[in-house]
């Protein structure tokens, strides 16, 4: 039996909406001979199944075992062809590619003039919609056809096409270099998180500026500016310069509002830009602006013009809910946050094939923080355990580290002292192995390790001493990241004042000017 999550065809079939399934059957039935086709029988069988099973398919006699692989490949292709014809998926890129296909067919038939006419129209669409890779391909095809379709204006035409090819090639090279750098920085962020010391900052700085291409803002269009803001944003995140994160994510979103048609052509980048802007606002504690951006984002998503495909819907769920939780953390409203847990868990299940494991673990950590804030430490530990015991999570070492630190604190709060010593040893070994033992973590572990030697009447003084030691790191360029994951300062103040941590954070939130 094949694992459901590893069978691409089954996942594709299950991802289809009712209208897409109906269209597929209409597409298949356009020729009467297909109505009894084996691939349609296989589709119907898979549609009925809750879990993928080759045994069930073979038992129903749809196909012999040695033919199953070919039949599945054929069905996969037919579904994709059907989806391509669906108006929902007919975006501008597909329309441009379709025109290029038509022009190529006409060219092969020797109908050069008709082919050039279609290509000229497609090139205009590509330029207007910042599809410069497609525009470059169109120019190259135009050059090929012009060598066979001789006109009196060939000299001027040749110069024009050469100039366009050079311009698009140059801009595409800039975009490629910037997008490559963006991907590399994102990979570093997932692997190790924020820079932890001067040496790492130096390495990232050298890495970034040695790969950053020279650019001229005057010559750059939407696409080139988008990738430029993108790489600066990731660099700012890695170096924990959150004001710069705010600056470049704001430029990213402003670019979309300057070119509103790009919101609907590039909904994924629009959603991501809003997410990074909201995350930046969370880090600089600008809650008023955070509410405005979140509200505007939700309004845009509900606009009829905004694409509603599966990928966009999943990303909208992901970014809206992550930032709703962040806003509630900023306000210290853990109780309200708990009302979102069932909705989030349902969404994670619904979108499981399109949300990566890393983001699932981020949700688990935030849910754990909600329960910790509300004093339900055992449930907090339950969610942290899902992260700590996840052997497949090889990214975001910082998320793993702080999950372990929070687990230690939650064990202490829950009175589970009998687990604490084992947890301390395990966490300490893990942090040493990850080379991630920061001063804040070291202070926390040392404090928790010495708890057994502190008498009850001395506990409040011990909390005060730890609070004083940690306070100096709150604005430290590298140590402050610890407080992004867990507001240890507020937790200590809640222990000192014997009040709920939520009340402490709410009071701080009310004092925020922004």
């Amino acid at each position: 039996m094949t694992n459901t999550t590893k069978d691409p065809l089954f996942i594709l079939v299950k991802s289809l909406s009712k209208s897409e399934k109906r269209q597929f059957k209409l597409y298949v039935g356009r020729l009467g001979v297909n109505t009894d086709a084996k691939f349609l029988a296989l589709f119907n069988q898979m549609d009925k199944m809750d879990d993928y099973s080759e045994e069930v398919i073979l038992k129903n006699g749809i196909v012999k075992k040695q033919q199953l692989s070919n039949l599945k490949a054929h069905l996969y292709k037919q579904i994709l062809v059907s989806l391509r014809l669906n108006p929902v998926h007919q975006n501008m890129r597909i329309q441009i590619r379709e025109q290029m296909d038509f022009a190529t067919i006409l060219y092969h038939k020797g109908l050069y003039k008709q082919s050039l006419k279609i290509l000229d129209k497609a090139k205009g669409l590509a330029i207007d919609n910042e599809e410069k890779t497609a525009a470059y391909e169109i120019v190259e095809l135009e050059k090929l056809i012009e060598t066979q379709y001789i006109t009196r204006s060939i000299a001027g035409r040749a110069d024009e096409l050469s100039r366009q090819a050079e311009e698009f090639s140059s801009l595409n090279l800039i975009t490629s270099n910037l997008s490559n750098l963006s991907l590399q920085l994102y990979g570093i962020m997932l692997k190790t998180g924020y820079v932890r010391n001067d040496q790492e900052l130096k390495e990232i700085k050298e890495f970034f500026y040695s790969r950053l291409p020279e650019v001229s803002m005057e010559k750059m269009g939407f696409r080139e500016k988008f990738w430029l803001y993108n790489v600066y944003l990731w660099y700012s995140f890695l170096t924990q310069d959150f004001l710069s994160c705010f600056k470049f994510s704001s430029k990213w979103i402003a670019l979309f509002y300057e070119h509103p048609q790009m919101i609907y052509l590039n909904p994924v980048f629009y959603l991501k830009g809003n997410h990074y802007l909201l995350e930046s606002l969370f880090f600089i504690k600008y809650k008023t602006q955070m509410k405005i951006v979140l509200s505007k984002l939700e309004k845009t998503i509900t606009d009829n013009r905004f694409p509603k495909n599966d990928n966009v819907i999943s990303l909208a769920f992901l970014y809206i809910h992550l930032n709703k939780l962040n806003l509630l953390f900023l306000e210290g409203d853990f109780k309200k946050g708990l009302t979102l847990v069932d909705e989030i868990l349902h969404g994670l299940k619904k979108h499981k094939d399109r949300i990566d494991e890393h983001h699932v673990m981020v949700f688990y950590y935030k849910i754990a923080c909600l329960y910790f804030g509300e004093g339900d430490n055992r449930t907090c530990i339950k969610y942290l355990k899902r992260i700590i015991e996840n052997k497949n999570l090889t990214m975001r070492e910082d998320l793993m580290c702080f999950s372990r630190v929070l687990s230690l604190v939650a064990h202490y709060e829950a009175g589970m002292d009998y687990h604490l010593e084992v947890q301390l040893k395990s966490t300490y070994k893990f942090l040493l192995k990850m080379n991630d033992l920061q001063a804040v973590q070291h202070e926390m572990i040392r404090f928790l390790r010495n708890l057994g030697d502190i008498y009850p009447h001395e506990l409040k003084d011990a909390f005060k001493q730890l609070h004083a030691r940690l306070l100096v790191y709150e604005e430290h360029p590298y140590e402050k990241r610890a407080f992004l994951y867990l507001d240890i300062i507020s937790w200590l103040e809640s222990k000192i004042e014997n009040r709920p941590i939520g009340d402490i954070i709410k009071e701080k939130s009310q004092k925020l000017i922004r």
Side-chain angles (χ1 to χ4, degrees), residues 13 38 178 221 241 315 406 431 507:
V13 171
K38 288 184 177 181
L178 288 172
D241 184 352
L315 287 175
L406 178 56
L431 294 175
E507 284 183 8

PDB file of all heavy atoms in Angstrom, residues 13 38 178 221 241 315 406 431 507:
ATOM      1  N   VAL A  13      -6.243  14.391  -7.236  1.00  0.00           N
ATOM      2  CA  VAL A  13      -7.678  14.074  -7.339  1.00  0.00           C
ATOM      3  C   VAL A  13      -8.429  14.638  -6.141  1.00  0.00           C
ATOM      4  O   VAL A  13      -9.495  15.252  -6.282  1.00  0.00           O
ATOM      5  CB  VAL A  13      -7.905  12.544  -7.454  1.00  0.00           C
ATOM      6  CG1 VAL A  13      -9.399  12.216  -7.330  1.00  0.00           C
ATOM      7  CG2 VAL A  13      -7.373  12.026  -8.785  1.00  0.00           C
ATOM      8  N   LYS A  38     -10.554   3.516 -19.220  1.00  0.00           N
ATOM      9  CA  LYS A  38      -9.998   3.010 -17.956  1.00  0.00           C
ATOM     10  C   LYS A  38      -9.544   4.148 -17.057  1.00  0.00           C
ATOM     11  O   LYS A  38      -9.672   4.071 -15.830  1.00  0.00           O
ATOM     12  CB  LYS A  38      -8.832   2.064 -18.248  1.00  0.00           C
ATOM     13  CG  LYS A  38      -9.248   0.715 -18.820  1.00  0.00           C
ATOM     14  CD  LYS A  38      -8.046  -0.199 -18.978  1.00  0.00           C
ATOM     15  CE  LYS A  38      -8.472  -1.582 -19.484  1.00  0.00           C
ATOM     16  NZ  LYS A  38      -7.312  -2.491 -19.625  1.00  0.00           N
ATOM     17  N   LEU A 178      18.916  38.520  -8.318  1.00  0.00           N
ATOM     18  CA  LEU A 178      18.238  38.945  -7.085  1.00  0.00           C
ATOM     19  C   LEU A 178      17.388  37.815  -6.505  1.00  0.00           C
ATOM     20  O   LEU A 178      17.385  37.597  -5.291  1.00  0.00           O
ATOM     21  CB  LEU A 178      17.366  40.168  -7.362  1.00  0.00           C
ATOM     22  CG  LEU A 178      18.103  41.496  -7.604  1.00  0.00           C
ATOM     23  CD1 LEU A 178      17.128  42.569  -8.069  1.00  0.00           C
ATOM     24  CD2 LEU A 178      18.826  41.958  -6.338  1.00  0.00           C
ATOM     25  N   GLY A 221      11.849  48.072 -13.412  1.00  0.00           N
ATOM     26  CA  GLY A 221      10.398  48.057 -13.414  1.00  0.00           C
ATOM     27  C   GLY A 221       9.870  47.402 -12.150  1.00  0.00           C
ATOM     28  O   GLY A 221      10.616  47.177 -11.184  1.00  0.00           O
ATOM     29  N   ASP A 241      17.541  43.578  12.079  1.00  0.00           N
ATOM     30  CA  ASP A 241      17.295  45.011  11.921  1.00  0.00           C
ATOM     31  C   ASP A 241      15.813  45.161  11.543  1.00  0.00           C
ATOM     32  O   ASP A 241      15.460  45.310  10.370  1.00  0.00           O
ATOM     33  CB  ASP A 241      18.201  45.575  10.825  1.00  0.00           C
ATOM     34  CG  ASP A 241      18.069  47.089  10.677  1.00  0.00           C
ATOM     35  OD1 ASP A 241      17.166  47.672  11.328  1.00  0.00           O
ATOM     36  OD2 ASP A 241      18.824  47.689   9.899  1.00  0.00           O
ATOM     37  N   LEU A 315      -2.451  29.880   1.565  1.00  0.00           N
ATOM     38  CA  LEU A 315      -1.524  30.914   2.047  1.00  0.00           C
ATOM     39  C   LEU A 315      -2.260  32.007   2.817  1.00  0.00           C
ATOM     40  O   LEU A 315      -1.751  32.514   3.819  1.00  0.00           O
ATOM     41  CB  LEU A 315      -0.760  31.519   0.868  1.00  0.00           C
ATOM     42  CG  LEU A 315       0.324  30.648   0.240  1.00  0.00           C
ATOM     43  CD1 LEU A 315       0.911  31.316  -0.996  1.00  0.00           C
ATOM     44  CD2 LEU A 315       1.430  30.331   1.241  1.00  0.00           C
ATOM     45  N   LEU A 406      11.105  26.812  26.544  1.00  0.00           N
ATOM     46  CA  LEU A 406       9.746  27.035  27.030  1.00  0.00           C
ATOM     47  C   LEU A 406       9.214  25.785  27.727  1.00  0.00           C
ATOM     48  O   LEU A 406       8.495  25.884  28.736  1.00  0.00           O
ATOM     49  CB  LEU A 406       8.820  27.430  25.875  1.00  0.00           C
ATOM     50  CG  LEU A 406       7.338  27.658  26.241  1.00  0.00           C
ATOM     51  CD1 LEU A 406       7.195  28.708  27.343  1.00  0.00           C
ATOM     52  CD2 LEU A 406       6.539  28.078  25.004  1.00  0.00           C
ATOM     53  N   LEU A 431      21.377  22.281  22.975  1.00  0.00           N
ATOM     54  CA  LEU A 431      21.851  23.629  22.686  1.00  0.00           C
ATOM     55  C   LEU A 431      23.347  23.648  22.385  1.00  0.00           C
ATOM     56  O   LEU A 431      23.808  24.377  21.503  1.00  0.00           O
ATOM     57  CB  LEU A 431      21.534  24.570  23.844  1.00  0.00           C
ATOM     58  CG  LEU A 431      20.047  24.835  24.108  1.00  0.00           C
ATOM     59  CD1 LEU A 431      19.866  25.683  25.346  1.00  0.00           C
ATOM     60  CD2 LEU A 431      19.401  25.516  22.911  1.00  0.00           C
ATOM     61  N   GLU A 507      -0.904  45.445  30.247  1.00  0.00           N
ATOM     62  CA  GLU A 507      -0.522  46.752  30.783  1.00  0.00           C
ATOM     63  C   GLU A 507       0.583  47.381  29.940  1.00  0.00           C
ATOM     64  O   GLU A 507       0.559  48.581  29.646  1.00  0.00           O
ATOM     65  CB  GLU A 507      -0.057  46.615  32.235  1.00  0.00           C
ATOM     66  CG  GLU A 507      -1.205  46.422  33.218  1.00  0.00           C
ATOM     67  CD  GLU A 507      -0.724  46.359  34.654  1.00  0.00           C
ATOM     68  OE1 GLU A 507       0.485  46.616  34.885  1.00  0.00           O
ATOM     69  OE2 GLU A 507      -1.532  46.049  35.532  1.00  0.00           O
TER      70      GLU A 507
END
